[in-house]
Amino acid sequence: MSTLGIGLVGTGFMGKCHALAWNAVAATFSETLRPRLVHVAEADSDLAHQKAAELGFAKASGDWRALIDDPEVDVISIAAPNPLHAAIAIAALEAGKHVWCEKPMATTRADAKAMRDAAAATGRVAALGYNYIQNPAIRQMEALVEGGVIGAINHVRLEMDEDFMADAEAPFAYKNEAHSGYGALDDFAVHPLSLLWRLAGPVSAVMTYQSRPYASRSNRPVETHEIATSLLQLAGGASGLLVANRAAWGRKGRIAIQLFGSRGTMLYDQERMNEFQLFTRDGPEATQGFRTILSGPIHPPYDRFVPAPGHGLGFNDLKVVEAHEVMAAIEGKPARIVDFDMGLAIEDTVHAMARSHSERAWVAV
């Protein structure tokens, strides 16, 4: 069995998700290509060696450039802080490595474009970490849209809410710095945008307002925006609304989607990620109503994890599916990934939203 040498930069929440996914993907999908955890890099050598022992990597380094230079590494997973994505990804691609990089793609549009150009020039696989598109429920919703079950989509509403910045007394953090990006737009809104692309197509124009519920933390001015609200015009002609809020008390991981069509409606909430609601106008009006579609083995690739409906998949399972899709792309097979071309289109939308806020006007994407 052939192996695929894996390098990982960053071992926090998402870095651990990548490591777990690489460890599980071959057994889950009966892959003929088996990932091998070769080299991990962290902020310092001591932490890198600690994480290598915990996660199962053979080598460790306090410098991510060591992964670039390691001939045993074929793919580099990037889970480092957002401002480092561009430098690591471009160096990896230019060294002939494939790249699986967490979102957002970069903190500036120029960096995102440079990443896209590097991927195009090298021909290596370059994928972004949008694992929510891998959900069997989302795949089924996409199939229903394509099959015309709810008719032509005329309006969409998207919300992403969490409460990790809801506490007014919380100290100033890295995500409050302008260096980290815009805030809710590129930290959050990119996820519902990736889902929107799959379900209803790209955005052509936006009107956006951003806000800060708390002007300062730890006696330092907050430089990013925790809340963003955007009116959307989709390329297909539908209207839309997107709201992203990092200060929403009680919300833990909510991505709410409402798709309104000429023949029906679909509803989804990431906090109940193994189901969605479907309304169609079929049948007698007296018996029409929303029905819940529960994910099960009939909705691939759920069957790769659990042989029975109702047991449910989780966040890390979607990362395993994403690893499988990245491997498929590397092997030249059809793959469901957000590549750097689509990633740049999502970034263009986010930057148009930020510009709309500054100019107080509609902005074309």
Side-chain angles (χ1 to χ4, degrees), residues 11 39 78 85 87 132 134 145 151 169-170 213 226 245 255 273 301 345:
T11 60
H39 205 148
I78 302 173
H85 287 184
Y132 296 137
Q134 307 299 347
V145 170
E169 302 303 318
E226 315 303 357
N245 187 351
I255 303 177
M273 61 174 284

Side-chain angles (χ1 to χ4, degrees), residues 43-326:
D44 62 68
S45 182
D46 289 344
L47 180 59
H49 281 86
Q50 174 192 332
K51 293 300 181 179
E54 291 176 3
L55 300 173
F57 284 85
K59 308 175 198 176
S61 175
D63 185 350
W64 58 263
R65 294 168 186 82
L67 276 71
I68 306 296
D69 296 334
D70 191 334
E72 293 186 68
V73 171
D74 302 304
V75 186
I76 294 182
S77 277
I78 302 173
N82 300 345
L84 299 178
H85 287 184
I88 300 171
I90 292 168
L93 290 164
E94 290 178 345
K97 316 292 186 183
H98 303 290
V99 168
W100 181 16
C101 179
E102 271 310 305
K103 66 85 202 166
M105 195 169 177
T107 54
T108 69
R109 202 269 176 187
D111 279 349
K113 183 179 183 299
M115 292 167 71
R116 192 278 310 271
D117 292 347
T122 62
R124 300 290 88 185
V125 170
L128 291 162
Y130 287 102
N131 58 321
Y132 296 137
I133 71 166
Q134 307 299 347
N135 190 339
I138 295 296
R139 291 175 180 232
Q140 180 62 22
M141 291 173 67
E142 189 178 329
L144 293 174
V145 170
E146 291 175 353
V149 172
I150 64 168
I153 293 176
N154 50 52
H155 183 70
V156 298
R157 293 182 201 163
L158 308 164
E159 302 169 56
M160 184 165 183
D161 303 309
E162 293 187 19
D163 64 1
F164 68 92
M165 287 194 171
D167 187 353
E169 302 303 318
F172 189 93
Y174 163 73
K175 288 192 175 186
N176 298 131
E177 298 178 12
H179 181 63
S180 71
Y182 296 121
L185 276 181
D186 46 0
D187 189 26
F188 268 21
V190 292
H191 268 309
L193 284 172
S194 73
L195 295 168
L196 178 65
W197 245 258
R198 302 296 313 196
L199 293 165
V203 177
S204 60
V206 296
M207 166 69 90
T208 302
Y209 178 73
Q210 300 182 81
S211 60
R212 298 183 182 96
Y214 312 118
S216 65
R217 293 182 184 275
S218 306
N219 295 317
R220 293 182 59 181
V222 171
E223 298 169 345
T224 54
H225 295 90
E226 315 303 357
I227 304 169
T229 304
S230 291
L231 297 175
L232 310 176
Q233 179 182 329
L234 273 59
S239 63
L241 173 68
L242 185 153
V243 180
N245 187 351
R246 305 192 299 187
W249 274 120
R251 296 301 189 187
K252 304 303 180 182
R254 183 171 189 258
I255 303 177
I257 302 170
Q258 298 185 76
L259 300 174
F260 299 95
S262 59
R263 294 191 54 82
T265 298
M266 282 193 288
L267 313 176
Y268 170 82
D269 189 333
Q270 179 67 25
E271 290 184 343
R272 302 181 66 89
M273 61 174 284
N274 286 281
E275 64 183 52
F276 66 95
Q277 279 69 52
L278 171 66
F279 174 92
T280 61
R281 55 179 295 186
D282 301 322
E285 184 176 355
T287 58
Q288 289 177 4
F290 281 98
R291 61 185 185 272
T292 298
I293 312 297
L294 187 64
S295 294
I298 199 171
H299 305 118
Y302 180 105
D303 56 311
R304 294 288 187 163
F305 296 86
V306 186
H311 291 63
L313 303 189
F315 181 90
N316 284 345
D317 294 323
L318 301 188
K319 219 65 188 170
V320 175
V321 180
E322 192 173 56
H324 166 67
E325 298 294 342
V326 171

